Amino acid sequence: MNINCNGKLIDLSTPKVMGILNVTPNSFYDGGKHKEINSIIHQVDKMISEGADFIDIGAYSSKPSAEFVSEAEEIKRLESIIKSLVATFPNIILSVDTFRANVAKAAIENGVAMVNDISAGLLDDKMLETVAQLKVPYIMMHMRGNPQTMQSLTDYNDIVKEMIFYFSERIQKARSYGISDIVIDPGFGFAKTLEQNYEVLHKMELFSILELPLLVGISRKSMIYKVLESSPQEALNGTSVLNTIALQKGAKILRVHDVKEVVECIKLVSKLK
């Protein structure tokens, strides 16, 4: 349950917090909110001061039916921001949220310490080889298709069993390239109906058979606000509830928009042990 980030060994036996930083104009919750570098630095400073262990920076929205963004544009959105964050926060541990090998490589060369890939290497056949060469931790998520098609690919016979088979195959593939530090992400909201999301959460402890750290990203997602008949902006309380359940079911990293609240969840749940 350790991962090596820029030579620093991170112990995941105690759950950690990954703050979300979207530098996209169209992410489902905070798209376009952080355009200027001063706003970005302020937001990152806030997340770090509230207890974020990692900052996950993404420049391509993966919400359902998200518009296509070119590789060059994705790199352009990221490079100067990464350089500024590394210069401003020398001890920061950055993760890059991308499914493209060239974007991952550019980000790592500018100071990022980890790759977070929604496709587990299936959308870019150079990704696993690149991550292995870069010698960084790799977060692999479960998804079918791509952000434009995934919501039409929700036909499963046994979703959790099929997800475990998917991860087993992708883990073996990643290991064959020499990737040693792997984190798995069930991919809530990706190629899953609302009911399937809750089935996966209910049975999430079954992923322990894979013997790898588990990242959960459910922050303000539609599986919360559709049930509550509200909106992403009103989904913070629901996010805290589901993150609490995820912790009880074995989550080691919680990826969130709101750091303070999830730090409190971790502190309170730890008292149960």
Side-chain angles (χ1 to χ4, degrees):
M1 288 294 167
N2 296 321
I3 56 174
N4 189 330
C5 297
N6 284 342
K8 183 178 181 181
L9 204 60
I10 308 297
D11 178 11
L12 298 180
S13 60
T14 300
K16 299 294 186 285
V17 179
M18 177 176 281
I20 298 169
L21 178 67
N22 288 317
V23 292
T24 59
N26 59 335
S27 292
F28 78 94
Y29 170 61
D30 55 358
K33 187 175 180 180
H34 305 296
K35 294 179 182 179
E36 304 299 326
I37 190 62
N38 288 340
S39 171
I40 290 168
I41 288 173
H42 175 76
Q43 175 65 8
V44 170
D45 184 54
K46 179 176 183 288
M47 289 193 287
I48 291 173
S49 66
E50 290 179 346
D53 302 284
F54 315 102
I55 303 295
D56 191 42
I57 181 169
Y60 185 134
S61 175
S62 56
K63 68 179 181 180
S65 302
E67 68 181 36
F68 176 83
V69 175
S70 72
E71 189 173 281
E73 175 64 20
E74 189 177 357
I75 291 173
K76 180 182 176 183
R77 289 177 179 178
L78 288 170
E79 278 191 320
S80 62
I81 294 171
I82 291 169
K83 289 177 181 178
S84 294
L85 292 177
V86 171
T88 307
F89 308 100
N91 297 320
I92 196 170
I93 302 177
L94 289 172
S95 166
V96 63
D97 180 5
T98 186
F99 55 81
R100 290 165 165 159
N102 287 338
V103 176
K105 186 172 186 293
I108 298 300
E109 288 173 347
N110 282 290
V112 168
M114 183 164 29
V115 175
N116 180 13
D117 179 4
I118 61 171
S119 78
L122 291 172
L123 290 180
D124 187 333
D125 59 10
K126 296 293 184 183
M127 178 62 92
L128 298 182
E129 177 184 355
T130 300
V131 171
Q133 290 171 350
L134 294 167
K135 293 182 170 56
V136 295
Y138 183 58
I139 302 167
M140 56 168 63
M141 195 186 79
H142 174 269
M143 181 178 70
R144 286 176 167 180
N146 58 47
Q148 290 75 33
T149 64
M150 62 185 180
Q151 291 311 99
S152 64
L153 302 171
T154 58
D155 183 24
Y156 303 89
N157 291 319
D158 183 329
I159 186 169
V160 173
K161 183 177 180 181
E162 291 174 50
M163 288 174 67
I164 290 173
F165 181 83
Y166 167 98
F167 280 124
S168 298
E169 189 276 332
R170 300 315 297 163
I171 292 164
Q172 187 279 327
K173 190 77 170 176
R175 297 281 193 220
S176 73
Y177 280 98
I179 300 174
S180 56
D181 290 348
I182 300 172
V183 177
I184 60 172
D185 176 355
F188 289 102
F190 290 79
K192 297 168 188 71
T193 65
L194 188 148
E195 291 76 14
Q196 288 166 345
N197 283 316
Y198 279 94
E199 180 180 355
V200 171
L201 180 61
H202 177 59
K203 298 178 179 178
M204 205 173 73
E205 63 270 20
L206 296 177
F207 293 109
S208 64
I209 194 173
L210 298 168
E211 298 183 333
L212 287 173
L214 189 66
L215 179 149
V216 168
I218 51 180
S219 182
R220 296 182 180 268
K221 286 187 173 178
S222 64
M223 65 181 285
I224 299 167
Y225 66 80
K226 284 185 177 178
V227 173
L228 301 178
E229 299 180 349
S230 59
S231 67
Q233 289 70 27
E234 300 171 293
L236 176 54
N237 185 54
T239 296
S240 295
V241 170
L242 295 194
N243 276 329
T244 300
I245 294 169
L247 289 167
Q248 293 177 312
K249 290 182 173 289
K252 296 301 181 184
I253 302 175
L254 295 175
R255 182 179 181 272
V256 297
H257 298 92
D258 309 278
V259 172
K260 176 179 178 289
E261 289 77 6
V262 79
V263 167
E264 291 177 352
C265 287
I266 291 171
K267 285 182 179 177
L268 293 172
V269 171
S270 71
K271 287 296 183 183
L272 298 175
K273 302 175 183 179

